[in-house]
Amino acid sequence: MVNLNEVKVLYSEEMIQQRIREIGEQITKDYEGKELVLVGLLKGAAYFMVDLSKQIRLPVTLEFMTVSSYQNTESTGKVKIVQDLDSPISGKNVLIVEDIIDTGRTLHEIKQLFEIRGAKSVSICALLDKKAMRLVDVPVDYVGFDVEDRFMLGYGLDYNQYYRNLPYIGYVDSIK
Ligand code: IMP
Ligand code: MG
């Protein structure tokens, strides 16, 4: 477990919500006159998905998918679909909503999968972007914050499944 006194807060609740309002506005402009399917990757993106969807002024539907790629803090490099979508996305404008992009493997694979399934367009929105860690080149259309290579937790991001419910985003030096 982590001693919460050790957590260094990077983004407060207010900063997160302010940034989400800005991204929501941008998405609303970019998709003007269109419908959008938001696909949130569980469990990390759950908090971001809910808050972001409220800032998009368009007809949207919400879908969730569970993929796993991480064991503890080390990427295993394999993306597994644990729970797939329950609605077809062919012909739809899809926006994948993710908590953080690290190596890029997860989003690269899921984007490819949605393209194969015949989505009209597939874009990516990640709350955090660890650019320095990228192994697979994948375009991220909307980014909340660029972060350094530190293990982040809170606001959906977990450490061994805990700390998702912290209202802020932070890191602890003891986890790498
Ligand atoms: P990627 O496939 O390497 O881009 O991995 C992305 C996934 O790894 C995210 O959906 C997170 O679940 C997890 N992840 C990557 N970095 C962190 C972190 O700093 N904190 C918590 N989870 C992370
Ligand atoms: Mg995740």
Side-chain angles (χ1 to χ4, degrees):
M1 290 303 219
V2 170
N3 177 353
L4 289 181
N5 294 323
E6 280 175 40
V7 178
K8 306 222 168 88
V9 178
L10 266 184
Y11 304 110
S12 68
E13 235 178 317
E14 291 71 25
M15 288 164 83
I16 296 167
Q17 294 307 323
Q18 174 56 34
R19 187 70 191 111
I20 289 175
R21 278 192 290 275
E22 293 166 7
I23 299 171
E25 249 175 60
Q26 190 60 52
I27 292 170
T28 302
K29 275 188 201 140
D30 293 351
Y31 288 88
E32 199 193 333
K34 295 178 184 161
E35 288 191 20
L36 193 54
V37 182
L38 301 178
V39 176
L41 303 187
L42 293 175
K43 305 176 179 109
Y47 294 76
F48 182 37
M49 174 85 157
V50 168
D51 288 338
L52 177 66
S53 64
K54 290 185 278 182
Q55 301 301 331
I56 299 174
R57 314 280 172 218
L58 297 168
V60 299
T61 58
L62 274 63
E63 298 291 334
F64 290 96
M65 188 167 179
T66 307
V67 300
S68 74
S69 64
Y70 246 54
Q71 290 293 328
N72 294 325
T73 63
E74 283 301 310
S75 179
T76 58
K78 274 207 80 81
V79 178
K80 191 173 103 191
I81 296 175
V82 178
Q83 172 86 54
D84 208 338
L85 301 177
D86 54 18
S87 308
I89 49 146
S90 82
K92 312 255 177 151
N93 293 306
V94 176
L95 180 64
I96 306 172
V97 179
E98 176 61 313
D99 52 357
I100 185 166
I101 177 164
D102 185 14
T103 65
R105 284 194 183 107
T106 307
L107 286 170
H108 174 75
E109 293 223 0
I110 300 302
K111 185 174 183 182
Q112 226 173 28
L113 176 71
F114 290 173
E115 281 164 356
I116 291 166
R117 288 181 181 178
K120 187 172 175 191
S121 69
V122 184
S123 299
I124 291 173
C125 178
L127 181 59
L128 303 179
D129 188 349
K130 268 189 201 173
K131 278 210 176 69
M133 297 303 291
R134 201 75 90 253
L135 295 176
V136 180
D137 188 30
V138 45
V140 187
D141 304 273
Y142 306 95
V143 175
F145 305 101
D146 287 322
V147 291
E148 286 172 27
D149 179 25
R150 292 202 181 100
F151 195 80
M152 314 296 293
L153 41 84
Y155 194 70
L157 294 142
D158 72 303
Y159 174 55
N160 292 343
Q161 296 304 325
Y162 289 94
Y163 312 109
R164 296 190 196 276
N165 60 321
L166 296 176
Y168 50 80
I169 294 171
Y171 66 92
V172 276
D173 289 320
S174 53
I175 310 174
K176 178 52 258 293

